[in-house]
Amino acid sequence: MAKTDSAKKKVLVLGGGFGGVFAAKSLAKRGRDTVDVELVNGTNYFVFQPLLPEVAAGGIHSSDAVVPLRQLLTGVQVRQAEVAGVDFAKKSVIVVQGSSRIPVELTYDELIISLGTTVDLSRFPGLPEHALTMKQVADAHKLRNHVLSCLEMADVATSPAQKRQLLTFVVVGAGFSGVETVGEVNALIHQAVRYYPNVTKDDIRVLLVEYADRILPTFAEDLANYAARRLKLEGIEVITGVGTKSATSTAVELTNGALIPTGTIVATIGNGPRQLVQALGLDMKWGRIQVDREMRVPGLDHVWALGDVALIPLEDEPGDDPQAYAPQTAQFAVREGHQLALNLLASVKGNDKKLKPFAYKSKGSLASLGTTKAVADVYGFKLTGFFAWLLWRGFYLSFIPGFQAKARLLFTWILNAFMPPNLVLIQGNAPATRYIHYRKGDVVFEPGMILDGFYLVLSGKLKLKIDNPDTDEHLVRDLGPGDHVGERMMVRPLLRTGLVEAVEDTEVLFVAKKDFLRFAHDFPVLRKYFEKYIEKNFGGQGKSFAPQGSEQQPEMEKSN
Amino acid sequence: MAKTDSAKKKVLVLGGGFGGVFAAKSLAKRGRDTVDVELVNGTNYFVFQPLLPEVAAGGIHSSDAVVPLRQLLTGVQVRQAEVAGVDFAKKSVIVVQGSSRIPVELTYDELIISLGTTVDLSRFPGLPEHALTMKQVADAHKLRNHVLSCLEMADVATSPAQKRQLLTFVVVGAGFSGVETVGEVNALIHQAVRYYPNVTKDDIRVLLVEYADRILPTFAEDLANYAARRLKLEGIEVITGVGTKSATSTAVELTNGALIPTGTIVATIGNGPRQLVQALGLDMKWGRIQVDREMRVPGLDHVWALGDVALIPLEDEPGDDPQAYAPQTAQFAVREGHQLALNLLASVKGNDKKLKPFAYKSKGSLASLGTTKAVADVYGFKLTGFFAWLLWRGFYLSFIPGFQAKARLLFTWILNAFMPPNLVLIQGNAPATRYIHYRKGDVVFEPGMILDGFYLVLSGKLKLKIDNPDTDEHLVRDLGPGDHVGERMMVRPLLRTGLVEAVEDTEVLFVAKKDFLRFAHDFPVLRKYFEKYIEKNFGGQGKSFAPQGSEQQPEMEKSN
Ligand SMILES: Cc1cc2nc3c(=O)[nH]c(=O)nc-3n(C[C@H](O)[C@H](O)[C@H](O)COP(=O)(O)OP(=O)(O)OC[C@H]3O[C@@H](n4cnc5c(N)ncnc54)[C@H](O)[C@@H]3O)c2cc1C
Ligand SMILES: Cc1cc2nc3c(=O)[nH]c(=O)nc-3n(C[C@H](O)[C@H](O)[C@H](O)COP(=O)(O)OP(=O)(O)OC[C@H]3O[C@@H](n4cnc5c(N)ncnc54)[C@H](O)[C@@H]3O)c2cc1C
């Protein structure tokens, strides 16, 4: 099955999204005798991105929104691995796979690049660290868990300001995925709220922020207006003509100067090229690989590109008009895949004259609004409301590849019509190190909080104030770059902190408690450093707020 | 709804497993006018543990095996928080909740402890670090992902020894959960294998290891024998009368001296008390809280305990006979919950004479064997095979609390009858720091592997050998406690390693690459230390194996 027949050409497909999968599928079907196809993807499944907002809302399981590549692609060799680099001269690709991380070299006769794009929020200070995104299954899980834990915490919050912040949810960007995400998240919250006795609907604020002056810019204006009205009816604040400026862990700042206290920012903006793709050394424009109308990479033989990563002209002289290039949608990627397969097979057989330029007219646009409502513009017919929503579901059902996947999804949808929302909050491991931004004036800790990790100041300034009558500890200290809070967890497992405030805009590196303790205890340089430090600054003890009750360590979920 | 009526007694339930949930449910139903009930649990859902092996096999979704506590317990205030300590004198409990980690004090009139047990593998060197367990939803996910990634890696493995190790799966312990786990995992592997062209059934070894001289010790012998035969028919090696001695990341060692190379060890043994429970200062026996036959904790007023955490006598003079105490099963915990609720209500009303000792006779035992087969012993009737399996399903369906949960589970089961296995491998964040054991002679790295993290030797000795003709780097070095490998990732992102072998039994602390790099770059003490170290030992460069092709960093899934 995986044997390579020397008469056949080896086609290597990089990326298992819409572009890569449909190209590989077509090749395997039409080129059985001509080519051997291998597809490399970072995960062992294909992600149906349009369904991710519904996964985030818990309406469907994540496994309903993905299809295992091996089951989807019969006749194609599937390899779960990370592409690390391409050597076009040697016609080889380096991949690293598995926990052993041995780099493996794969050679090709024909190469297809369909690696998609990534989220690039670097233009917005604080957003890369504090915004949730919506590209992968893990993102949808994270958003869902985040929203539910905000509700759990709000239900027992002690300060009204904290409660308000926990119950404010901001979605940035109102394209397809922003609109669907805000609709689904809003529906989840409003269905869930009745199980939280201390949270009422009036406590909740859900905002959709869009820089353009209307939402759904790729839709006809009347449909977009209908969508905006529907979202408002559901209680969502729709803010257009306003961009995002920056974010911290406690707020988002808009270009109109407004500062919205929130712990939840979902960014659906900022598509950018992957580092790997940038490093390939190919001609790029607008962050995409420039190809000719037949989807070949100019200047290189036997290299093709399609999907979001490629800039495919729809005319001979496209110039700088974005409309003259194929848009970055699943619909187009699928058609590109078919055409690319035909072109590649013609080329392999030496029929270069049979290569055809890519041409396709969109069949229309569909966007769900969350609560059994949608907007649709199909073959020129415009539809809104419940029927548009049914059409949306029908369309995706027909579109999702694989019979089993279809059946699973249909059953789940039918079931959901009779079911209350699923509120299960399954937490993954939080990342052990991360960067946190604080704005001048932000309270990092209130007195008495139990420290959850080690905080290292990278830039800016924090002020620490300890005032503890019980332990007779009093202290005011400025913390600048290189200073830290939390080292005393080494001597006092349940260490509580004093008041910590940001005196300036500050950036901090956070290292989670368990990971910090292991490293600091076991690594001699660090242990020596911290022992001296604690001796010098605190007289060797881990004083500070003694926890009430017993001092045993609260037991956490095991994680290894 | 959550208001506290001063005439009512405040009952605080610690733990939302079978014991806590059924006690709280009964109290809320029968004691509406007498008590206010609040239940504290670490997760916001109840776990139906008997279904976890099926979650691990991917037959059902994790959310089918759990029920949100808020939806399950109407009339009960639910709080998602970690119990940190109890002050019996003050009648208060300290909990920490949410990301702000502010400790909150909850007072009670009556306290119910139902915190279950935890897994304690400390008697087996290496097992705590290298065994997977089966207690929580996260455990089932981890096992599933682990098994699937073994298949993915085996499909592209280059060395036969590595392939063999990847395809050997060992389950330790043959009680309920061991037998069900091995059956389900074996079924998953055998259904999945046809999608992996380079893996055949003959490559796969699945073992069940039990210290007692037969499996399912709580079942009648003929049923247990039937179960053993069935498992063997499915290709599982059943080894009885042999215990586990120790484990490393590459093998498990048995008490009969056998060393089985494997990357997958699932331990279903080693129930032990939680740290928190041990620290309560109560009388314990066999790791459980001693209570009287009415489930009161002697010597303390208004404190009750039930479920796995409690040792409940079934007779007045139980002595040291384990049979004279309630067994640690869900069936018993549920009955205990009902009885405890009645006793507590009687006690609150001052009818201490109405308290009844707990008494219950098991209705039987059921264990699924994975492939539509089971063994059952119900009301004395013994059943095996397909009908026992149907009974198993029916029983759990009737048992799982909540109508929605039942319906969901039933639909999923029906669907599965027509579906191929679900091979989706959704990876969570791996823990950033962990301990790894190597046995003398183990190869830690083969030459050319890309380093995935920083390895710090804690005890024992490793030998590093670099022999790289391309970069003209030659090096032999012993690494003892305090020495490390991987620091040069700081100057060379795609650093490859030479051969690293364990010269003695060795323990290592591992810190994942991204987390190490952040911390080592940003923390001045560490940066200085490593810069000097690299300068001194490698002349300041990150020589060693230069990756073939380009040196850009393989792009990883984002994780924050
Ligand atoms: C939330 C959301 C909703 C959307 N809704 C719609 C919609 O309603 N209608 C519509 O037409 N379009 C929609 N889109 C857009 C559509 O999903 C994309 O246009 C489409 O997925 C592009 O396909 P692709 O193959 O080019 O890239 P992708 O689908 O991004 O696939 C790229 C693949 O490459 C893999 N990869 C990347 N780097 C590496 C590496 N180094 N090693 C190994 N593998 C790698 C990735 O894992 C991924 O599987 C939506 C997108 C999002 C995010
Ligand atoms: C894989 C498996 C299969 C099984 N199969 C069967 C079977 O077929 N039949 C059968 O009868 N029994 C079976 N059992 C046993 C049964 O599940 C247990 O006996 C039962 O769950 C015990 O209930 P419990 O309430 O005492 O404890 P648990 O169910 O363990 O509940 C304890 C609860 O306390 C919470 N908790 C603990 N510490 C804290 C803290 N510090 N703060 C907050 N919350 C905390 C935990 O999160 C948990 O929710 C099986 C067990 C396993 C693991």
Side-chain angles (χ1 to χ4, degrees):
Chain A
M1 192 168 173
K3 301 268 155 45
T4 306
D5 182 334
S6 60
K8 292 194 200 174
K9 296 289 180 192
K10 171 77 185 277
V11 181
L12 198 58
V13 182
L14 306 184
F18 279 98
V21 160
F22 281 86
K25 235 178 139 68
S26 266
L27 282 170
K29 201 171 138 198
R30 294 204 177 74
R32 213 171 314 218
D33 311 317
T34 334
V35 290
D36 271 320
V37 185
E38 174 161 359
L39 183 143
V40 182
N41 196 54
T43 59
N44 82 346
Y45 53 83
F46 161 81
V47 182
F48 199 74
Q49 288 176 342
L51 288 175
L52 290 181
E54 237 186 300
V55 173
I60 60 177
H61 295 291
S62 53
S63 47
D64 295 331
V66 306
V67 188
L69 287 168
R70 290 178 188 283
Q71 288 166 339
L72 186 57
L73 293 172
T74 42
V76 174
Q77 163 85 4
V78 172
R79 182 183 291 261
Q80 181 186 1
E82 290 287 333
V83 178
V86 181
D87 188 331
F88 295 108
K90 273 176 77 184
K91 287 184 138 192
S92 78
V93 173
I94 305 289
V95 305
V96 280
Q97 61 200 20
S99 62
S100 66
R101 314 278 307 149
I102 299 194
V104 175
E105 187 172 359
L106 308 174
T107 55
Y108 62 79
D109 296 311
E110 303 283 336
L111 182 70
I112 301 178
I113 303 173
S114 186
L115 293 165
T117 56
T118 187
V119 179
D120 175 14
L121 299 171
S122 55
R123 284 174 303 144
F124 311 97
L127 224 55
E129 291 83 355
H130 299 295
L132 298 155
T133 53
M134 253 309 189
K135 275 286 226 182
Q136 285 160 350
V137 176
D139 298 334
H141 279 188
K142 206 186 269 172
L143 174 56
R144 173 178 171 66
N145 285 337
H146 185 85
V147 167
L148 289 175
S149 62
C150 284
L151 290 173
E152 293 287 344
M153 286 192 277
D155 196 54
V156 291
T158 40
S159 104
Q162 194 202 10
K163 186 167 175 181
R164 187 84 186 151
Q165 180 190 315
L166 285 166
L167 294 175
T168 302
F169 305 88
V170 180
V171 175
V172 177
F176 273 125
S177 72
V179 165
E180 299 194 351
T181 301
V182 84
E184 291 287 347
V185 165
N186 189 61
L188 167 66
I189 296 169
H190 282 270
Q191 283 163 7
V193 72
R194 69 187 176 96
Y195 298 102
Y196 295 85
N198 303 317
V199 177
T200 66
K201 297 218 173 200
D202 297 338
D203 296 330
I204 292 164
R205 247 186 115 185
V206 178
L207 297 93
L208 178 65
V209 179
E210 165 61 50
Y211 186 67
D213 44 300
R214 66 175 172 91
I215 70 167
L216 292 175
T218 60
F219 278 67
E221 191 155 358
D222 50 347
L223 284 180
N225 288 342
Y226 168 85
R229 274 200 313 277
R230 280 259 22 126
L231 294 178
K232 285 177 191 161
L233 269 181
E234 300 293 334
I236 297 166
E237 299 172 43
V238 179
I239 302 179
T240 51
V242 176
T244 311
K245 214 168 132 188
S246 71
T248 65
S249 61
T250 55
V252 59
E253 188 189 358
L254 304 184
T255 50
N256 65 3
L259 193 71
I260 303 170
T262 177
T264 312
I265 308 165
V266 188
T268 63
I269 55 172
N271 248 359
R274 290 177 196 273
Q275 220 181 307
L276 168 71
V277 171
Q278 277 177 305
L280 291 179
L282 303 176
D283 277 344
M284 310 270 287
K285 179 172 178 168
W286 302 331
R288 296 157 76 183
I289 299 173
Q290 290 199 288
V291 296
D292 63 20
R293 293 192 62 188
E294 287 75 28
M295 294 172 276
R296 290 172 294 198
V297 178
L300 290 172
D301 283 339
H302 313 294
V303 181
W304 312 72
L306 80 164
D308 284 5
V309 77
L311 190 67
I312 306 172
L314 297 171
E315 313 166 359
D316 277 336
E317 302 284 343
D320 283 342
D321 174 14
Q323 306 291 334
Y325 297 93
Q328 288 169 300
T329 68
Q331 236 185 92
F332 271 78
V334 169
R335 297 303 314 171
E336 290 159 20
H338 288 297
Q339 186 61 49
L340 194 155
L342 295 176
N343 285 356
L344 190 149
L345 290 174
S347 159
V348 163
K349 287 183 191 141
N351 296 337
D352 266 18
K353 287 205 192 103
K354 285 212 174 153
L355 266 65
K356 280 204 196 129
F358 175 70
Y360 179 63
K361 265 213 152 357
S362 165
K363 296 285 172 283
S365 312
L366 279 161
S368 147
L369 304 175
T371 41
T372 68
K373 298 283 182 297
V375 287
D377 182 348
V378 183
Y379 295 107
F381 289 101
K382 292 175 187 168
L383 223 62
T384 59
F386 181 66
F387 286 101
W389 180 79
L390 275 188
L391 186 71
W392 184 89
R393 292 218 151 167
F395 179 70
Y396 282 117
L397 211 51
S398 73
F399 207 56
I400 199 167
F403 169 74
Q404 295 93 20
K406 280 191 222 301
R408 252 186 211 285
L409 185 59
L410 181 63
F411 270 82
T412 307
W413 274 341
I414 293 172
L415 256 180
N416 281 346
F418 307 99
M419 292 285 167
N422 169 0
L423 299 186
V424 174
L425 165 56
I426 296 181
Q427 239 134 6
N429 285 334
T433 61
R434 60 193 152 93
Y435 295 106
I436 309 178
H437 282 258
Y438 298 102
R439 196 183 311 277
K440 182 178 166 170
D442 273 354
V443 173
V444 178
F445 296 114
E446 295 188 42
M449 283 188 181
I450 293 185
L451 268 181
D452 54 345
F454 177 75
Y455 290 74
L456 176 69
V457 179
L458 301 179
S459 66
K461 197 192 278 181
L462 301 178
K463 190 181 276 306
L464 165 68
K465 252 191 225 161
I466 295 180
D467 249 316
N468 193 344
D470 298 351
T471 61
D472 203 30
E473 188 176 20
H474 302 277
L475 192 85
V476 179
R477 182 176 300 165
D478 277 347
L479 304 166
D483 291 334
H484 37 76
V485 184
E487 60 288 334
R488 285 188 297 164
M489 295 181 305
M490 291 176 72
V491 284
R492 257 188 113 87
L494 271 193
L495 183 74
R496 299 206 201 182
T497 148
L499 176 72
V500 178
E501 272 181 312
V503 188
E504 303 168 5
D505 287 6
T506 301
E507 202 189 350
V508 160
L509 173 72
F510 167 87
V511 184
K513 182 169 173 172
K514 194 182 64 187
D515 301 288
F516 171 75
L517 286 181
R518 284 181 171 173
F519 201 28
H521 263 133
D522 291 335
F523 195 34
V525 202
L526 282 183
R527 199 174 51 233
K528 241 177 273 163
Y529 168 81
F530 284 119
E531 275 169 8
K532 245 199 238 155
Y533 183 93
I534 294 171
E535 181 62 46
K536 189 173 140 213
N537 291 281
F538 304 95
Q541 355 160 3
K543 252 199 312 196
S544 191
F545 293 73
Q548 310 146 291
S550 50
E551 167 132 8
Q552 65 273 8
Q553 191 160 354
E555 200 166 347
M556 298 298 148
E557 300 248 318
K558 304 184 319 117
S559 71
N560 62 0
Chain B
M1 192 169 172
K3 300 270 156 41
T4 308
D5 183 334
S6 60
K8 293 194 200 172
K9 296 288 182 195
K10 170 77 187 272
V11 181
L12 198 57
V13 183
L14 306 185
F18 280 98
V21 159
F22 282 85
K25 233 177 139 68
S26 266
L27 282 170
K29 200 171 139 198
R30 293 202 179 75
R32 212 172 314 221
D33 312 316
T34 336
V35 291
D36 272 320
V37 185
E38 174 162 358
L39 182 142
V40 182
N41 196 53
T43 59
N44 83 346
Y45 52 84
F46 161 81
V47 182
F48 198 75
Q49 288 176 342
L51 287 175
L52 289 181
E54 238 186 300
V55 173
I60 60 177
H61 295 290
S62 52
S63 48
D64 295 330
V66 306
V67 188
L69 287 168
R70 292 178 187 282
Q71 288 166 341
L72 186 57
L73 293 172
T74 41
V76 173
Q77 164 85 6
V78 173
R79 184 184 290 263
Q80 181 187 0
E82 290 287 333
V83 177
V86 181
D87 188 330
F88 295 110
K90 272 175 78 183
K91 288 185 137 188
S92 78
V93 173
I94 305 288
V95 304
V96 279
Q97 60 199 18
S99 62
S100 66
R101 313 281 307 150
I102 299 194
V104 176
E105 186 171 359
L106 308 174
T107 56
Y108 62 79
D109 297 310
E110 303 283 339
L111 182 71
I112 301 178
I113 302 174
S114 186
L115 292 164
T117 55
T118 187
V119 179
D120 175 14
L121 300 171
S122 55
R123 284 175 302 146
F124 310 97
L127 225 54
E129 291 84 354
H130 299 294
L132 296 155
T133 54
M134 254 309 191
K135 274 286 224 185
Q136 285 159 351
V137 176
D139 298 335
H141 278 188
K142 208 187 270 173
L143 175 56
R144 172 178 174 64
N145 285 336
H146 185 84
V147 168
L148 289 176
S149 61
C150 284
L151 291 173
E152 294 286 344
M153 286 190 279
D155 196 53
V156 291
T158 40
S159 102
Q162 193 202 10
K163 185 168 175 180
R164 188 81 186 154
Q165 179 190 314
L166 284 167
L167 295 175
T168 302
F169 305 87
V170 180
V171 175
V172 178
F176 272 128
S177 73
V179 166
E180 299 196 349
T181 300
V182 84
E184 291 288 346
V185 164
N186 189 59
L188 168 66
I189 295 169
H190 283 269
Q191 283 163 9
V193 73
R194 68 186 176 98
Y195 298 102
Y196 295 84
N198 303 317
V199 177
T200 66
K201 297 218 174 198
D202 296 338
D203 295 330
I204 292 164
R205 248 186 113 185
V206 178
L207 297 93
L208 178 66
V209 180
E210 166 62 50
Y211 187 65
D213 45 300
R214 66 173 171 96
I215 69 167
L216 291 175
T218 60
F219 278 66
E221 191 156 357
D222 50 347
L223 283 180
N225 287 343
Y226 169 85
R229 272 199 314 277
R230 279 264 14 130
L231 294 177
K232 285 177 192 159
L233 268 182
E234 300 294 333
I236 297 166
E237 299 172 41
V238 179
I239 303 178
T240 51
V242 176
T244 311
K245 215 169 133 190
S246 72
T248 64
S249 61
T250 55
V252 59
E253 189 189 359
L254 304 184
T255 51
N256 64 2
L259 192 70
I260 302 170
T262 176
T264 311
I265 307 164
V266 188
T268 64
I269 55 173
N271 249 359
R274 290 176 197 273
Q275 219 180 309
L276 167 72
V277 171
Q278 277 177 303
L280 292 178
L282 303 176
D283 277 345
M284 311 271 288
K285 179 171 177 168
W286 302 333
R288 297 157 75 181
I289 299 172
Q290 290 200 288
V291 295
D292 63 19
R293 293 193 62 188
E294 288 73 29
M295 293 171 277
R296 290 172 296 199
V297 177
L300 289 172
D301 284 339
H302 314 292
V303 181
W304 313 72
L306 79 163
D308 284 5
V309 78
L311 190 66
I312 306 170
L314 297 171
E315 313 166 1
D316 277 336
E317 303 283 345
D320 282 341
D321 174 14
Q323 306 291 335
Y325 297 92
Q328 289 169 301
T329 68
Q331 234 184 94
F332 271 78
V334 168
R335 299 301 316 169
E336 291 159 19
H338 288 297
Q339 187 60 49
L340 194 154
L342 295 176
N343 285 357
L344 189 150
L345 290 174
S347 158
V348 162
K349 288 183 189 141
N351 295 338
D352 266 18
K353 288 205 192 103
K354 287 214 172 150
L355 266 64
K356 281 205 195 125
F358 175 71
Y360 179 64
K361 266 214 151 0
S362 166
K363 296 286 171 285
S365 310
L366 279 162
S368 148
L369 304 175
T371 40
T372 67
K373 297 281 180 298
V375 287
D377 181 349
V378 182
Y379 295 107
F381 290 101
K382 292 175 187 167
L383 223 62
T384 58
F386 181 66
F387 285 102
W389 179 79
L390 275 189
L391 186 71
W392 183 89
R393 291 218 152 169
F395 179 72
Y396 282 116
L397 212 50
S398 73
F399 207 56
I400 197 167
F403 169 74
Q404 295 92 21
K406 279 191 221 302
R408 252 184 211 287
L409 184 59
L410 182 62
F411 270 82
T412 307
W413 273 342
I414 293 173
L415 254 181
N416 281 346
F418 307 99
M419 292 287 167
N422 169 1
L423 299 185
V424 175
L425 164 57
I426 296 182
Q427 239 134 6
N429 285 333
T433 61
R434 59 195 154 91
Y435 295 106
I436 309 178
H437 282 259
Y438 297 102
R439 195 183 312 279
K440 181 178 166 172
D442 273 356
V443 173
V444 179
F445 296 112
E446 295 188 41
M449 284 189 180
I450 294 185
L451 270 180
D452 55 344
F454 176 77
Y455 291 75
L456 176 69
V457 179
L458 301 179
S459 66
K461 197 193 280 183
L462 302 178
K463 189 180 276 307
L464 165 68
K465 251 191 224 160
I466 295 180
D467 251 316
N468 193 345
D470 297 351
T471 61
D472 204 31
E473 190 177 17
H474 304 275
L475 192 85
V476 179
R477 181 176 300 164
D478 276 348
L479 304 167
D483 292 334
H484 36 79
V485 184
E487 61 289 332
R488 284 187 299 164
M489 293 182 304
M490 292 176 71
V491 284
R492 257 187 113 87
L494 271 193
L495 184 73
R496 298 203 200 184
T497 149
L499 176 73
V500 179
E501 274 182 312
V503 188
E504 302 169 6
D505 286 6
T506 302
E507 203 189 351
V508 161
L509 173 71
F510 167 86
V511 184
K513 180 169 174 173
K514 193 183 62 186
D515 300 287
F516 171 74
L517 286 182
R518 284 181 172 173
F519 201 27
H521 264 133
D522 291 335
F523 196 31
V525 202
L526 283 182
R527 202 180 43 235
K528 241 178 272 162
Y529 168 81
F530 284 119
E531 275 170 6
K532 245 199 237 154
Y533 182 93
I534 294 172
E535 180 61 44
K536 189 173 140 214
N537 290 279
F538 304 94
Q541 357 161 0
K543 250 198 314 195
S544 192
F545 293 73
Q548 309 148 289
S550 48
E551 166 133 5
Q552 65 273 7
Q553 192 160 354
E555 200 166 346
M556 298 298 147
E557 300 247 319
K558 300 184 321 113
S559 70
N560 64 355

